[in-house]
Amino acid sequence: MSIDTTAEQAQQELLEEFELFDNWMDRYQYIIDLGKQLPDFPNEWKRDEHKIQGCQSNVWMRHRLEEGRLHFDAISDAAIVSGLIAVLLRIYSDRPPAEIRDTQPDFLAALGLDKHLSPTRSNGLHAMLGRIYEVAERVAA
């Protein structure tokens, strides 16, 4: 991801990529492949304070503020969830907190993720998104 793009542009690029796939099985595979490209998440980061509640699988997310931008690292023990993390990080990581706070997750409806994920996966996705917004709000304040 380039820091020259905005979160809105990142959403648009993601939508264009997903248009290349004819069906949801291919889209699921693409999401899983994105998750396989996540950077390492060391075991010492897998602590309770980084764990996201509300996810069916284990999800850990940590953040740090660097030069006015919020950087997120995250991982899951489930392949599809790691892919969803990769999607979220692509849109929200390495952005100013105010931009994160002000960027609505329009891609969820545009991609049809809410319709194509199981209710538990959808709840987990919203829990991860909630953490991102919560951190951005706290840091922006």
Side-chain angles (χ1 to χ4, degrees), residues 69-122:
R69 294 175 176 268
L70 261 177
H71 175 82
F72 292 91
D73 292 291
I75 198 73
S76 173
D77 57 5
I80 188 76
V81 177
S82 284
L84 294 172
I85 289 167
V87 167
L88 291 177
L89 296 187
R90 185 163 156 191
I91 293 168
Y92 294 103
S93 189
D94 298 316
R95 311 248 182 239
E99 182 182 356
I100 294 170
R101 185 190 59 207
D102 296 341
T103 301
Q104 293 304 305
D106 299 330
F107 67 96
L108 294 179
L111 289 178
L113 276 175
D114 280 345
K115 289 187 297 208
H116 288 90
L117 292 175
S118 69
T120 53
R121 293 277 187 249
S122 186

Side-chain angles (χ1 to χ4, degrees), residues 38-94:
L38 283 173
D40 284 340
F41 194 91
N43 281 332
E44 61 264 21
W45 291 357
K46 293 178 181 177
R47 299 192 310 253
D48 284 346
E49 72 255 27
H50 296 145
K51 197 162 186 185
I52 306 249
Q53 302 305 317
C55 295
Q56 179 181 15
S57 52
N58 288 313
V59 176
W60 296 271
M61 182 181 289
R62 66 187 289 274
H63 67 276
R64 63 186 181 277
L65 187 63
E66 289 180 355
E67 298 177 10
R69 294 175 176 268
L70 261 177
H71 175 82
F72 292 91
D73 292 291
I75 198 73
S76 173
D77 57 5
I80 188 76
V81 177
S82 284
L84 294 172
I85 289 167
V87 167
L88 291 177
L89 296 187
R90 185 163 156 191
I91 293 168
Y92 294 103
S93 189
D94 298 316

